[in-house]
C-alpha cells in the first residue's frame, strides 16, 4: 500500500500539520484494527474536534484536510457511510439514499467496514435525522387530533425517500391524511413512489424544483426537513414565503434546520464534506419575520438531540 499522500506544504508550516498527523495516526491505527470500537469514539471525536479547531484557526485549510480524507477513504473505507457522503452520488452528501441509509441504520456487510458505519450512526447528527422522522409523526398525530372528522392535507417539501410518509400511513391506516410530496430528484421520486406504492390513493408525487413550483391545493400542514439547511438566507425566505402562501388559515408550516449546536459538525464537514447552513433559533425566527410571519405565530422547537431545530409558523 503506497504511503498516504499528505499535502507537502503542510509540513512547512510551524506546527501546522500536527492535528492532521495525529488524525492520520489514529485513523491508521483504527483501520489496522478493523475500525473504531465504541470505547474509542470519544478519542476519535476529540481528535476530530482538534482538527476542526485547527481549520477554524486557519492553521490548516479545509481543502487540505478534505484531500486527505478523500484519499484515506478511497484507500480503506470504500463502501462505508463516510465514503457515500464524500461520493455525492446525486451532487451532494445528504441525498435521499443517504437519508434512507440513516433511517435504516445501514451498515456495510464487511466486518472491518461495519465498525466505521456503527461509529457514523452513533453520531448526534444521524440520530437527529432519525429523531426528525419521529418528530414528523408526532406532528401528524397532533394535527389529526385537532381535526378528528375532516381529512388532513399535508405538503411534504423535498420528500426524499418518503419513508416517513410510508411509516405513518402503515401505522395509521384508518386516518384520512393525504400527502403531496415534491422532490427535484427523479431517483428520489421513483424510490418514494415504490415506498408508498401500497397507498398510492393517499400520496401524490411531483417531480419539481420547489423553488420554482409548489402544488397549491391549500394545506393544513406543510413540512420540510433536510432542505432549508442547504439554502442561503435569501432562498430560505423566498421559499418560506411560498410555503406560507399554500398553507390554509389555521394550518401550520414546519421547517427543519440544523442548529449551530451540532457535535457532529467537524466529522461531517472534514471527513464527509457534508456542509450545511447551521442556524440558531434566533436566526430562524428572524428569517420567519422576513418572510412575513407574525411574531406571535412563530415558535422554534427541537428533537431530543437538540441538533435539528424546527421552525413552526401558525397561519
Ligand atoms: C436530505 S433529503 C431529505 C428528505 C426528506 N425530507 C427526509 O427528511 O427524509 C433532501 C431532499 O431534498 C431534495 N431537494 C433538494 N433541493 C430541492 C429542490 N430545490 N426542490 C425539490 N427538492 C429538492 C433532494 O432531492 C433530496 O431528496
Amino acid at each position: 500500500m503506497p504511503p498516504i499522500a499528505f499535502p507537502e506544504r503542510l509540513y512547512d508550516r510551524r506546527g501546522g500539520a500536527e492535528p492532521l498527523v495525529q488524525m492520520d495516526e489514529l485513523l491508521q491505527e483504527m483501520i489496522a484494527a478493523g475500525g473504531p470500537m465504541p470505547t474509542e469514539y470519544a478519542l476519535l471525536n476529540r481528535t476530530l474536534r482538534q482538527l476542526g479547531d485547527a481549520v477554524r484557526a486557519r492553521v490548516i485549510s479545509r481543502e487540505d484536510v478534505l484531500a486527505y480524507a478523500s484519499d484515506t477513504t478511497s484507500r480503506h473505507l470504500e463502501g462505508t457511510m463516510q465514503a457515500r457522503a464524500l461520493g455525492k452520488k446525486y451532487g451532494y452528501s445528504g441525498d435521499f439514499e443517504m437519508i434512507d441509509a440513516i433511517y435504516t441504520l445501514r451498515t456495510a456487510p464487511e466486518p472491518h467496514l461495519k465498525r466505521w458505519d456503527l461509529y457514523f450512526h452513533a453520531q448526534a447528527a444521524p440520530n437527529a435525522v432519525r429523531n426528525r422522522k419521529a418528530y414528523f409523526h408526532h406532528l401528524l398525530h397532533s394535527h389529526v387530533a385537532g381535526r378528528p372528522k375532516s381529512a388532513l392535507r399535508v405538503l411534504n417539501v423535498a420528500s426524499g425517500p418518503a419513508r416517513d410518509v410510508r411509516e405513518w400511513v402503515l401505522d395509521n391506516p384508518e386516518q384520512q391524511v393525504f400527502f403531496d410530496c415534491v422532490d427535484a430528484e427523479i431517483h428520489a421520486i421513483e424510490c418514494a413512489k415504490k415506498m408508498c406504492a401500497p397507498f398510492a390513493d393517499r400520496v401524490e408525487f411531483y417531480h419539481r424544483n420547489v423553488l420554482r413550483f409548489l402544488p397549491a391545493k391549500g394545506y393544513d400542514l406543510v413540512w420540510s426537513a433536510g432542505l432549508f439547511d442547504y439554502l442561503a438566507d435569501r432562498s430560505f425566505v423566498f421559499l418560506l414565503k411560498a410555503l406560507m402562501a399554500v398553507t390554509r388559515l389555521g394550518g401550520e408550516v414546519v421547517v427543519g434546520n440544523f442548529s449551530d449546536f451540532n457535535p457532529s459538525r467537524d466529522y461531517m464537514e472534514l471527513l464527509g464534506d457534508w456542509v450545511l447552513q447551521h442556524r440558531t433559533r434566533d436566526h430562524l425566527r428572524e428569517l420567519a419575520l422576513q418572510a412575513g410571519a407574525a411574531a406571535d405565530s412563530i415558535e422554534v422547537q427541537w428533537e431530543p438531540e437538540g441538533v435539528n431545530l424546527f421552525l413552526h409558523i401558525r397561519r
Side-chain angles (χ1 to χ4, degrees), residues 92 94 96 99 103 132 158-161 183-185 188 208-210 225-227:
Y92 65 110
F96 72 100
I99 296 303
Y103 286 150
R132 82 178 178 219
S159 46
D183 202 286
E185 171 56 59
R208 302 297 285 265
N209 176 349
V210 293
L227 174 64

Side-chain angles (χ1 to χ4, degrees), residues 5 14 109 117 152 163 170 190 215 222 225 234 244-245 249 264 274 276-277 304:
R14 217 166 2 134
D117 286 340
L152 189 76
R163 186 172 288 279
L170 283 176
E190 282 165 2
V222 174
R234 221 173 125 184
M244 288 162 62
L249 281 183
S264 315
W274 191 338
L276 296 176
Q277 300 281 336

Side-chain angles (χ1 to χ4, degrees), residues 90 92-100 103 129 132-133 136 156-165 182-189 206-213 223-231 239 274 276 308:
Y90 297 100
Y92 65 110
S93 305
D95 60 49
F96 72 100
E97 282 183 359
M98 170 62 94
I99 296 303
D100 207 45
Y103 286 150
V129 167
R132 82 178 178 219
K133 179 157 62 66
F136 182 39
N156 187 357
V157 177
S159 46
R163 186 172 288 279
D164 43 7
V165 173
V182 193
D183 202 286
E185 171 56 59
I186 187 63
H187 297 97
I189 292 284
Y206 297 83
H207 173 217
R208 302 297 285 265
N209 176 349
V210 293
L211 294 168
R212 303 218 180 103
F213 166 87
W223 163 259
S224 187
L227 174 64
F228 278 76
D229 18 30
Y230 290 90
L231 301 181
L239 183 57
W274 191 338
L276 296 176
N308 209 145

Side-chain angles (χ1 to χ4, degrees), residues 1-297:
M1 179 74 58
I4 299 292
F6 271 125
E8 196 59 45
R9 67 202 146 84
L10 281 181
Y11 287 110
D12 298 335
R13 291 187 202 148
R14 217 166 2 134
E18 201 46 35
L20 193 50
V21 171
Q22 275 172 10
M23 173 55 78
D24 181 53
E25 282 173 1
L26 183 62
L27 289 185
Q28 295 307 322
E29 227 173 82
M30 289 177 166
I31 286 165
M37 293 296 286
T39 46
E40 296 167 322
Y41 290 178
L43 173 62
L44 184 46
N45 290 343
R46 206 161 47 242
T47 310
L48 269 163
R49 180 63 191 243
Q50 282 159 1
L51 191 55
D53 286 343
V55 170
R56 279 182 285 280
R58 297 177 195 276
V59 172
I60 304 176
S61 77
R62 198 175 154 267
E63 290 69 30
D64 286 342
V65 176
L66 269 177
Y68 163 75
S70 300
D71 186 44
T72 302
T73 305
S74 65
R75 284 164 190 259
H76 303 286
L77 302 175
E78 217 41 83
T80 60
M81 295 292 285
Q82 186 175 311
R84 193 186 277 266
L86 281 169
K88 298 181 193 287
K89 183 172 169 189
Y90 297 100
Y92 65 110
S93 305
D95 60 49
F96 72 100
E97 282 183 359
M98 170 62 94
I99 296 303
D100 207 45
I102 291 175
Y103 286 150
T104 54
L105 289 161
R106 196 170 302 157
T107 54
E110 300 88 343
H112 70 288
L113 297 179
K114 182 175 177 155
R115 282 208 214 160
W116 292 97
D117 286 340
L118 290 173
Y119 170 68
F120 175 100
H121 287 301
Q123 301 269 327
N127 268 334
V129 167
R130 288 184 288 270
N131 287 345
R132 82 178 178 219
K133 179 157 62 66
Y135 193 96
F136 182 39
H137 291 165
H138 283 298
L139 197 60
L140 287 166
H141 279 300
S142 69
H143 274 264
V144 164
R147 34 187 314 130
K149 295 226 169 71
S150 52
L152 189 76
R153 300 211 163 268
V154 180
L155 178 62
N156 187 357
V157 177
S159 46
R163 186 172 288 279
D164 43 7
V165 173
R166 172 188 166 83
E167 288 180 3
W168 161 266
V169 180
L170 283 176
D171 288 348
N172 300 274
E174 75 293 350
Q175 298 296 353
Q176 288 294 298
V177 180
F178 296 90
F179 297 87
D180 281 349
C181 298
V182 193
D183 202 286
E185 171 56 59
I186 187 63
H187 297 97
I189 292 284
E190 282 165 2
C191 160
K193 274 187 177 167
K194 275 191 204 137
M195 195 81 80
C196 296
F199 20 83
D201 53 330
R202 299 178 189 207
V203 189
E204 199 165 329
F205 288 98
Y206 297 83
H207 173 217
R208 302 297 285 265
N209 176 349
V210 293
L211 294 168
R212 303 218 180 103
F213 166 87
L214 285 173
K217 293 179 193 165
Y219 298 95
D220 304 301
L221 175 63
V222 174
W223 163 259
S224 187
L227 174 64
F228 278 76
D229 18 30
Y230 290 90
L231 301 181
D233 283 359
R234 221 173 125 184
S235 302
F236 187 115
V237 171
F238 171 83
L239 183 57
L240 187 57
K241 254 187 212 168
L243 299 192
M244 288 162 62
V246 297
T247 308
R248 286 181 181 157
L249 281 183
E252 189 178 26
V253 180
V254 182
V255 162
N257 201 119
F258 262 36
S259 157
D260 64 336
F261 167 72
N262 176 7
S264 315
R265 187 168 178 171
D266 288 331
Y267 175 65
M268 290 170 68
E269 291 187 352
L270 299 179
L271 295 192
D273 194 20
W274 191 338
V275 179
L276 296 176
Q277 300 281 336
H278 293 80
R279 293 185 167 100
T280 64
R281 294 170 66 198
D282 286 346
H283 192 176
L284 290 175
R285 178 176 284 279
E286 171 55 32
L287 294 178
L289 290 170
Q290 283 179 33
D296 62 359
S297 71

